Amino acid sequence: MFQRLLPDQIVNTVFDIDLNALRARGVRGIITDLDNTLVSVKTPVATPELKAWLEKVKHEDFQVVILSNNSETRVSRFAVPLGIPFIPAARKPLGGAFRRALGLLKLEAPEVVVVGDQLLTDMLGGRRMGLHTILVTPIAPGEEGLGTQINRRIEKIALSRLRKQGLWPQKEER
Ligand SMILES: [Mg+2]
Protein backbone atom coordinates (compact mmCIF):
# COMPACT_ATOMS: atom_id res chain seq x y z
CA MET A 1 0.00 0.00 0.00
CA PHE A 2 2.98 2.31 0.37
CA GLN A 3 4.23 1.79 -3.16
CA ARG A 4 2.56 4.98 -4.33
CA LEU A 5 4.98 6.90 -2.11
CA LEU A 6 8.05 5.59 -3.90
CA PRO A 7 10.23 8.23 -5.56
CA ASP A 8 11.70 7.49 -8.98
CA GLN A 9 15.04 8.85 -7.87
CA ILE A 10 16.81 9.84 -4.65
CA VAL A 11 19.48 12.49 -4.23
CA ASN A 12 20.92 14.25 -1.20
CA THR A 13 20.26 17.84 -2.24
CA VAL A 14 18.94 19.71 -5.28
CA PHE A 15 22.55 20.44 -6.17
CA ASP A 16 23.02 16.72 -6.82
CA ILE A 17 20.34 16.56 -9.51
CA ASP A 18 21.90 15.59 -12.82
CA LEU A 19 20.50 18.25 -15.16
CA ASN A 20 22.15 16.71 -18.22
CA ALA A 21 20.46 13.39 -17.55
CA LEU A 22 17.11 15.15 -17.20
CA ARG A 23 17.60 17.00 -20.45
CA ALA A 24 18.56 13.77 -22.20
CA ARG A 25 15.21 12.35 -21.11
CA GLY A 26 13.34 15.33 -22.56
CA VAL A 27 12.68 17.08 -19.26
CA ARG A 28 12.15 20.83 -19.61
CA GLY A 29 10.50 21.80 -16.36
CA ILE A 30 10.98 21.38 -12.62
CA ILE A 31 8.19 21.62 -10.07
CA THR A 32 9.94 22.05 -6.76
CA ASP A 33 8.86 22.09 -3.15
CA LEU A 34 10.22 24.92 -0.97
CA ASP A 35 10.58 23.99 2.71
CA ASN A 36 13.40 21.58 3.46
CA THR A 37 13.93 21.06 -0.25
CA LEU A 38 15.39 24.41 -1.37
CA VAL A 39 16.06 25.90 2.07
CA SER A 40 15.20 25.04 5.67
CA VAL A 41 11.79 26.00 7.05
CA LYS A 42 13.31 28.92 8.95
CA THR A 43 15.30 30.36 6.06
CA PRO A 44 13.20 33.20 4.59
CA VAL A 45 15.16 33.81 1.38
CA ALA A 46 17.42 31.86 -0.95
CA THR A 47 21.02 31.21 0.06
CA PRO A 48 23.78 32.38 -2.31
CA GLU A 49 24.47 28.76 -3.24
CA LEU A 50 20.82 28.14 -4.09
CA LYS A 51 20.63 31.39 -6.09
CA ALA A 52 23.61 30.28 -8.15
CA TRP A 53 22.00 26.88 -8.74
CA LEU A 54 18.70 28.43 -9.84
CA GLU A 55 20.60 30.70 -12.23
CA LYS A 56 22.34 27.67 -13.68
CA VAL A 57 19.05 25.83 -14.04
CA LYS A 58 17.51 28.79 -15.88
CA HIS A 59 20.62 29.24 -17.98
CA GLU A 60 20.33 25.60 -19.04
CA ASP A 61 16.78 26.31 -20.24
CA PHE A 62 14.83 24.53 -17.56
CA GLN A 63 11.72 26.23 -16.29
CA VAL A 64 11.06 26.17 -12.57
CA VAL A 65 7.91 26.61 -10.52
CA ILE A 66 7.72 26.45 -6.73
CA LEU A 67 4.81 24.42 -5.42
CA SER A 68 4.43 24.68 -1.66
CA ASN A 69 1.82 23.78 0.91
CA ASN A 70 3.06 26.72 2.99
CA SER A 71 1.37 30.14 3.08
CA GLU A 72 1.32 32.86 0.44
CA THR A 73 3.35 35.10 2.81
CA ARG A 74 6.15 32.57 3.21
CA VAL A 75 6.31 31.44 -0.39
CA SER A 76 6.03 34.88 -2.01
CA ARG A 77 8.72 36.34 0.26
CA PHE A 78 11.04 33.61 -0.96
CA ALA A 79 10.07 33.37 -4.62
CA VAL A 80 9.37 36.97 -5.67
CA PRO A 81 12.99 38.18 -5.25
CA LEU A 82 14.06 35.26 -7.43
CA GLY A 83 11.52 35.99 -10.14
CA ILE A 84 10.29 32.39 -10.04
CA PRO A 85 6.58 31.58 -10.42
CA PHE A 86 5.04 29.97 -7.37
CA ILE A 87 1.88 28.36 -6.10
CA PRO A 88 1.38 28.58 -2.31
CA ALA A 89 -1.17 26.68 -0.19
CA ALA A 90 -0.93 23.94 -2.80
CA ARG A 91 -2.59 21.17 -0.75
CA LYS A 92 -0.23 18.53 -2.07
CA PRO A 93 -0.73 15.61 -2.66
CA LEU A 94 -4.01 16.77 -4.23
CA GLY A 95 -3.76 17.16 -7.98
CA GLY A 96 -5.20 20.65 -8.50
CA ALA A 97 -2.05 22.64 -7.85
CA PHE A 98 0.11 20.19 -9.81
CA ARG A 99 -2.20 20.75 -12.79
CA ARG A 100 -1.90 24.51 -12.33
CA ALA A 101 1.89 24.15 -12.19
CA LEU A 102 1.92 22.21 -15.46
CA GLY A 103 -0.25 24.97 -16.93
CA LEU A 104 2.22 27.65 -15.79
CA LEU A 105 5.08 25.70 -17.32
CA LYS A 106 3.09 25.01 -20.50
CA LEU A 107 4.56 21.52 -20.50
CA GLU A 108 3.20 17.99 -20.54
CA ALA A 109 3.72 15.52 -17.69
CA PRO A 110 6.59 13.55 -19.32
CA GLU A 111 8.57 16.82 -19.67
CA VAL A 112 8.38 17.68 -15.98
CA VAL A 113 9.94 16.39 -12.76
CA VAL A 114 8.81 16.96 -9.20
CA VAL A 115 11.45 17.63 -6.54
CA GLY A 116 10.63 17.46 -2.85
CA ASP A 117 11.55 16.14 0.57
CA GLN A 118 8.29 14.49 1.61
CA LEU A 119 6.82 11.18 0.52
CA LEU A 120 3.22 11.94 1.51
CA THR A 121 2.96 15.27 -0.27
CA ASP A 122 5.62 15.74 -2.97
CA MET A 123 6.24 12.15 -4.07
CA LEU A 124 2.66 10.91 -3.80
CA GLY A 125 1.28 14.00 -5.50
CA GLY A 126 3.82 13.88 -8.32
CA ARG A 127 3.33 10.19 -8.90
CA ARG A 128 -0.43 10.55 -9.05
CA MET A 129 0.04 13.09 -11.84
CA GLY A 130 2.36 10.76 -13.73
CA LEU A 131 5.38 12.97 -13.12
CA HIS A 132 8.92 11.72 -12.54
CA THR A 133 9.70 12.26 -8.85
CA ILE A 134 13.02 13.12 -7.19
CA LEU A 135 13.34 12.89 -3.41
CA VAL A 136 15.88 15.02 -1.54
CA THR A 137 17.02 14.61 2.06
CA PRO A 138 15.19 17.20 4.21
CA ILE A 139 17.56 20.09 5.00
CA ALA A 140 16.59 20.58 8.67
CA PRO A 141 13.78 18.22 9.71
CA GLY A 142 14.13 19.35 13.35
CA GLU A 143 12.47 22.67 12.47
CA GLU A 144 9.29 21.22 11.01
CA GLY A 145 5.77 22.06 12.16
CA LEU A 146 3.32 19.61 13.67
CA GLY A 147 1.60 18.60 10.43
CA THR A 148 4.91 17.66 8.85
CA GLN A 149 6.03 15.82 11.98
CA ILE A 150 2.94 13.64 11.69
CA ASN A 151 3.71 13.01 8.02
CA ARG A 152 7.26 12.03 8.98
CA ARG A 153 5.97 9.33 11.32
CA ILE A 154 3.92 7.81 8.53
CA GLU A 155 6.95 8.16 6.26
CA LYS A 156 9.05 6.15 8.71
CA ILE A 157 6.55 3.30 8.71
CA ALA A 158 6.33 3.39 4.92
CA LEU A 159 10.12 3.45 4.59
CA SER A 160 10.68 0.43 6.78
CA ARG A 161 8.00 -1.56 4.89
CA LEU A 162 9.34 -0.59 1.50
CA ARG A 163 12.91 -1.38 2.53
CA LYS A 164 11.84 -4.80 3.84
CA GLN A 165 10.12 -5.50 0.54
CA GLY A 166 13.27 -4.45 -1.31
CA LEU A 167 11.33 -1.73 -3.10
CA TRP A 168 13.18 1.34 -1.86
CA PRO A 169 15.36 2.72 -4.68
CA GLN A 170 19.09 2.95 -4.23
CA LYS A 171 20.68 6.31 -3.65
CA GLU A 172 22.26 7.76 -6.76
CA GLU A 173 26.00 7.56 -7.16
CA ARG A 174 27.51 10.96 -6.56
MG1 LIG B 1 9.07 20.20 2.06
Side-chain angles (χ1 to χ4, degrees):
M1 70 177 275
F2 292 119
Q3 293 186 25
R4 292 165 73 200
L5 304 179
L6 278 172
D8 293 302
Q9 210 181 325
I10 302 176
V11 294
N12 256 341
T13 73
V14 290
F15 309 119
D16 300 312
I17 295 171
D18 184 342
L19 296 174
N20 291 327
L22 293 187
R23 186 181 303 99
R25 288 211 340 266
V27 172
R28 309 286 320 282
I30 299 171
I31 296 176
T32 180
D33 175 49
L34 169 54
D35 290 319
N36 269 338
T37 296
L38 297 180
V39 293
S40 80
V41 175
K42 291 186 176 166
T43 307
V45 294
T47 60
E49 191 186 18
L50 182 71
K51 270 188 201 164
W53 182 76
L54 288 166
E55 280 303 315
K56 181 180 156 204
V57 167
K58 272 191 211 172
H59 189 73
E60 297 198 12
D61 278 337
F62 289 95
Q63 296 182 71
V64 178
V65 56
I66 295 173
L67 190 63
S68 172
N69 283 356
N70 211 332
S71 67
E72 164 100 43
T73 311
R74 155 65 164 157
V75 186
S76 63
R77 186 172 175 199
F78 179 89
V80 169
L82 299 168
I84 293 177
F86 60 96
I87 301 174
R91 301 178 71 204
K92 292 176 281 185
L94 297 184
F98 283 98
R99 263 177 238 115
R100 275 170 60 206
L102 287 176
L104 283 177
L105 294 169
K106 297 192 175 69
L107 294 171
E108 302 296 326
E111 301 172 300
V112 177
V113 295
V114 173
V115 181
D117 69 299
Q118 283 201 63
L119 299 183
L120 270 69
T121 54
D122 309 308
M123 300 300 106
L124 177 60
R127 197 178 181 96
R128 286 173 68 191
M129 292 297 294
L131 303 166
H132 183 91
T133 52
I134 303 175
L135 182 71
V136 301
T137 306
I139 293 169
E143 297 177 359
E144 286 169 339
L146 185 62
T148 304
Q149 288 177 33
I150 292 164
N151 281 349
R152 293 290 183 206
R153 295 206 176 177
I154 303 168
E155 257 184 17
K156 264 193 184 165
I157 297 164
L159 265 174
S160 74
R161 292 273 175 85
L162 290 166
R163 284 218 172 93
K164 264 183 209 156
Q165 294 169 349
L167 293 171
W168 190 250
Q170 297 298 305
K171 214 160 218 184
E172 273 197 344
E173 295 296 320
R174 293 200 291 125

